[in-house]
Amino acid sequence: VVDEFQSIAALFRPLALGAPEALDLMDDAAVIPSRPGFDLVITKDALVEGVHFLPTDPPGLVAQKLLRVNLSDLAAKAAEPYAYFLAVAWPKAWDAPRRAAFASGLALDQARFGLKLLGGDTVSTPGPLTLSVTMLGWVPAGGMIKRSGAGAGDVLLVSGGIGDGGLGLAAARGELNHLDETVRDYLAERYRLPEPRVTMRDLLRRYATAAADVSDGLLADAGHIGEASHLGLEIKLDEIPRSAAAGAWLKGQSDTSAALARLASSGDDYEVVCTIPPTEVDAAILAAAAFGLALTPIGRVTPSTGLRVTFNGDEVRVSGGGWTHP
Amino acid sequence: VVDEFQSIAALFRPLALGAPEALDLMDDAAVIPSRPGFDLVITKDALVEGVHFLPTDPPGLVAQKLLRVNLSDLAAKAAEPYAYFLAVAWPKAWDAPRRAAFASGLALDQARFGLKLLGGDTVSTPGPLTLSVTMLGWVPAGGMIKRSGAGAGDVLLVSGGIGDGGLGLAAARGELNHLDETVRDYLAERYRLPEPRVTMRDLLRRYATAAADVSDGLLADAGHIGEASHLGLEIKLDEIPRSAAAGAWLKGQSDTSAALARLASSGDDYEVVCTIPPTEVDAAILAAAAFGLALTPIGRVTPSTGLRVTFNGDEVRVSGGGWTHP
C-alpha cells in the first residue's frame, strides 16, 4: 500500500498535472464536469505481455502502443482525444527503471495526442505485465461515427496500408529473413508503434456514414460494419492498399490472392475502414491527401448481407478470419 | 478474434441490453450523452487472482467483488452508480462454465446496484485471471465528496465494522481455526463479498465534508483524508467499531491495543470513513441508524498535520500501515 502510493506519486502523478479532474490522483475517483452539447466517447482495451506485445519490446514503446490502440478506436469514432484511466499489473521483474521507461512512453504520447491521465490502479501480479486503458474522447452531440450507419451503395474505403501490422509481428519475431533489413525494420516498427489515424476526425465527421478501426484484420472489421448496418459488403482484394514494405513481401509470394487475403486478415493495422456515399468519395480522398494520408476505395456496401471477397473479379471464399479458394 | 466475438455475444451482450450507450457492444466505443447539471465520477480498480482473491473463490463471487470494490469508491464519493466497462484476461483454465458463472455474478450485482455494462475488452493470458473495471457514477454538479474537504475540528466517523476484511482473508485461508466455524464463515464471506455502502449517498451529500472508502486499511485511508486536506487526525483505537465476529477474535488476543491496530491496518473492509462537523454528527448518526447502518465517531481532525493514534488515551506509534508501541 505504502509502496503503491509512493509508486503512484513518483511515476504517475506528473502525468495528471494540469488536470483538475484527476485531483492529483489522491482521491478515490476522478470527477468530470458535464460538457453540454458534447457526447463522451469511451473505449477500453487491454494488452498482455506475450500476447499483444513481445517481452523484448522496449517498455516505452509498450506504453505508447497501449495508448495508441485506444486512440485508434477514438479516431475511428471521430472523437477528440481527452483523457484516460490506466490499470497496470506489474510483474516482479519490472523494476523501477523499466517502470520509469514505461511512464516516459505515456508522457510522450500524452503530449503528442493531447491526453491527460485521470486515474487508475496499480497492482502486482505473479503473471505477465497486464495493462488496460479506458480512454475518453469528445464528439459534438450525436456526432459519433458508428459501425451501424452504412447505407447500401456506399463506397468502402480504408486509410493507409493494410497488413503491415501482421507482417511486422512476423518481422519482430525474426521471421521474414528473406526480406531486406530496412523492410523488416519498417514492418516491425509499424507493429510496435502503430499510428492512430486521429487526423481523420474532421474528414470522418464530414463524409463517413460508418467507420471502424482495423485492429482484428481488415476483413473482420469491415465485416463488423456490414453486420452492425444489417447490410453486405463486397471487397476487392486486388484493391487493398499496401505499403512499399508489404509490396516487397508480396512480390515473393507465389499465390498473390492468398497473400492478399493474409494481409487483409492479419490484425494490428490500426487503420480506419469507413463507408462514404459515392458522390462524396472524391472529395474525401482529396481531403485525406491534403494531410498526406492515402484513403483507398476497396469495395462497396450491398443490400444483401454477407461478405463477398473478390480477386481480379473472381470470388475468393473467406472463413473465420482466414481464406480458402472457392 | 472470432472466438472473442462469440464469447462477447454469448456472455456479455445480455449485460448491455437496455443500454443504448453500449450499442450492443458491437462498436469500437460506447457513447454517453452529456447530462447537464451533473458531474461524472469515474473510478478504476483492478483485481488479480492470487493477489486480490483466492484461486478457490467461486467465479460468481469474484465478479461481484470486482463490481463491489468499484462501487465502494463511488459510495464514498456520494455518486449514484451508473455503468461500467470491463476488461478480462482469461487464463486457459477458465473454461466456458466458469466464464458463465463469472458473467452470472456480474448480472446479479448489476441488477442489485442499478448498473449496466457499456463496453470493454476480453483477452487471453498465460498468467492468472486479471480483471479491471472502470465504473461511472453521477453526482449533482460540484457535489462529489472529496478527500480534501475536511475542516479542523470535524469529527472522524466510520461506517459498519472494521477489520472483518483482513480477518476474513485469514479465515478464508484456513487460519483462525481456534474460532467457531460460524464466526470464520461470517468473516470469510465479508472478505469474499464486501457490502459497498451505497446507502450512505444522501447522508454523505448532506453532512460530510470529506470521505474515502476503506480499502487499504482504516488508518491508511483516514490518513489520506488528512493528507489531502492538509490537516492532521487523531484516531482512538478503542473506539473503532467491530463486528461481533471481530469481537470474538479480539477476545483471544493478549495485546488488545496491538490487535486493534491490526484491525485498523488490514484492508478490504470497504466501509466509508468520513469527516462531519461536530454540530451535525448526531443527526448523521441518526440518519445512518434509520437505514440500519452504524456510523461511529473514532476521532477528530486536527489543525497540525500527521496521524496521532491513541489507545485508552495513550499514544500508540503507527508506521507503514503497521504499528509499534511507543
Side-chain angles (χ1 to χ4, degrees), chain A residues 112-137:
Chain A
R112 168 145 179 222
F113 294 103
L115 290 166
K116 38 196 182 180
L117 175 66
L118 295 191
D121 200 7
T122 61
V123 298
S124 59
T125 180
L129 182 69
T130 305
L131 305 162
S132 90
V133 152
T134 310
M135 195 171 281
L136 283 59

Side-chain angles (χ1 to χ4, degrees), chain A residues 25-202:
Chain A
L25 305 183
M26 285 186 72
D27 216 303
D28 298 286
V31 58
I32 298 173
S34 87
R35 188 178 173 193
F38 287 81
D39 296 341
L40 202 49
V41 174
I42 305 188
T43 184
K44 180 173 189 174
D45 275 338
L47 299 183
V48 178
E49 182 178 5
V51 179
H52 304 93
F53 57 90
L54 302 172
T56 50
D57 285 345
L61 286 188
V62 172
Q64 288 178 280
K65 181 164 187 172
L66 176 64
L67 293 181
R68 290 176 180 212
V69 300
N70 284 280
L71 281 161
S72 179
D73 285 320
L74 291 189
K77 303 295 98 183
E80 174 199 0
Y82 161 50
Y84 69 104
F85 293 77
L86 171 70
V88 184
W90 301 113
K92 266 206 182 137
W94 275 66
D95 54 9
R98 283 176 95 177
R99 295 181 189 202
F102 179 84
S104 296
L106 295 177
L108 210 65
D109 270 1
Q110 276 192 217
R112 168 145 179 222
F113 294 103
L115 290 166
K116 38 196 182 180
L117 175 66
L118 295 191
D121 200 7
T122 61
V123 298
S124 59
T125 180
L129 182 69
T130 305
L131 305 162
S132 90
V133 152
T134 310
M135 195 171 281
L136 283 59
W138 297 108
V139 290
M144 191 179 92
I145 310 299
K146 300 176 186 172
R147 291 182 180 174
S148 60
D154 284 354
V155 177
L156 187 72
L157 301 99
V158 71
S159 65
I162 289 298
D164 284 2
L167 293 176
L169 172 58
R173 279 177 172 156
E175 305 164 15
L176 310 188
N177 284 332
H178 62 290
L179 295 179
D180 282 353
E181 192 179 344
T182 49
V183 169
R184 282 181 278 135
D185 286 353
Y186 168 88
L187 291 170
E189 179 74 3
R190 285 270 288 160
Y191 170 73
R192 289 205 183 92
L193 196 59
E195 189 63 43
R197 299 303 183 190
V198 292
T199 54
M200 290 180 71
R201 188 160 66 243
D202 291 341

